[in-house]
Amino acid sequence: KQEVTQIPAALSVPEGENLVLNCSFTDSAIYNLQWFRQDPGKGLTSLLLIQSSQREQTSGRLNASLDKSSGRSTLYIAASQPGDSATYLCAVKGGGGADGLTFGKGTHLIIQP
Amino acid sequence: GAVVSQHPSRVICKSGTSVKIECRSLDFQATTMFWYRQFPKKSLMLMATSNEGSKATYEQGVEKDKFLINHASLTLSTLTVTSAHPEDSSFYICSATRSAKNIQYFGAGTRLSVL
């Protein structure tokens, strides 16, 4: 059974810093990996989707990498802003591709103004 | 991106009542919809996979008779929590996709509180 772990569970940094969020998964036979943002009491906003054949994806100040063989992904946030404060979720989709997502518990990020 | 509407956003009900949650894809046809729930400080957990016109597939440990899922059209899936109890209080969220292997678009979620 796939398990997804996110480290750290919480992170608080001053505005402007670059930071890295970590995600690991136990079964490397994934279809894709996705990073989401969840604001309190709200739904999920997809940030980046990496297919199993890809190594990284970039969107603005966000960069996500994937090392499928080692079961790891990182989300890099450059020049952090207070508006980046949220919970960041990592989720993987099973190898067959037709499955639902398996989520980590998330990293609760606070960017101090 | 595609829009998925989930309603209601919050519901408070008495123990023993049934609650229906709707998930609609507003601008695309969703052949597959997924239902997840999230308990406090826990991960989002997949409850069931719903394909239009067929019975839902439930994850292990999820009671199909308690959580009734109907996906009667390509734009609507409903989750009914029957005879809700306080332990069913949770955040329920749906996602919709054009096909099972495509990207999932999420609704805003429903916060259920059972008194």
Side-chain angles (χ1 to χ4, degrees):
Chain A
K1 180 184 175 184
Q2 178 74 270
E3 292 183 5
V4 179
T5 302
Q6 289 186 247
I7 295 173
L11 182 63
S12 180
V13 300
E15 179 179 5
E17 282 200 7
N18 303 323
L19 53 99
V20 175
L21 308 182
N22 297 290
C23 172
S24 62
F25 45 95
T26 55
D27 186 349
S28 61
I30 63 169
Y31 188 77
N32 60 41
L33 182 144
Q34 204 164 353
W35 283 92
F36 293 89
R37 169 186 174 137
Q38 184 177 28
D39 292 285
K42 299 292 180 65
L44 305 181
T45 301
S46 179
L47 299 174
L48 290 164
L49 171 70
I50 310 177
Q51 300 293 350
S52 62
S53 59
Q54 297 176 325
R55 297 298 298 264
E56 68 175 348
Q57 283 287 331
T58 298
S59 175
R61 293 182 293 109
L62 304 179
N63 176 276
S65 68
L66 173 64
D67 185 341
K68 198 174 80 163
S69 61
S70 67
R72 294 180 182 180
S73 175
T74 60
L75 178 66
Y76 176 82
I77 302 176
S80 58
Q81 302 171 358
D84 295 331
S85 298
T87 296
Y88 289 80
L89 299 172
C90 170
V92 297
K93 194 172 184 62
D99 301 338
L101 300 176
T102 301
F103 284 85
K105 289 185 180 180
T107 294
H108 182 55
L109 176 64
I110 297 175
I111 306 299
Q112 306 154 11
Chain B
V3 179
V4 175
S5 172
Q6 187 171 340
H7 178 80
S9 59
R10 181 171 180 99
V11 59
I12 301 172
C13 68
K14 293 182 179 180
S15 184
T17 60
S18 293
V19 175
K20 180 184 283 189
I21 303 170
E22 292 187 348
C23 181
R24 294 180 184 274
S25 57
L26 298 185
D27 54 359
F28 68 99
Q29 293 186 326
T31 58
T32 303
M33 289 186 173
F34 299 91
W35 287 94
Y36 299 83
R37 66 181 168 186
Q38 183 179 34
F39 292 108
K41 298 186 179 181
K42 299 289 186 181
S43 307
L44 276 158
M45 297 292 292
L46 179 67
M47 298 176 66
T49 302
S50 169
N51 291 299
E52 186 266 338
S54 62
K55 289 184 179 180
T57 302
Y58 291 81
E59 296 299 301
Q60 190 173 11
V62 179
E63 300 175 55
K64 62 179 182 180
D65 294 330
K66 181 169 183 63
F67 299 99
L68 302 179
I69 292 173
N70 183 283
H71 191 168
S73 80
L74 285 170
T75 59
L76 174 64
S77 176
T78 59
L79 168 67
T80 301
V81 183
T82 62
S83 186
H85 292 283
E87 57 266 30
D88 298 323
S89 299
S90 185
F91 183 69
Y92 293 84
I93 191 166
C94 71
S95 71
T97 181
R98 291 179 176 84
S99 68
K101 293 189 176 184
N102 277 12
I103 191 169
Q104 296 179 28
Y105 299 96
F106 283 81
T110 298
R111 177 75 58 189
L112 171 63
S113 299
V114 184
L115 304 178

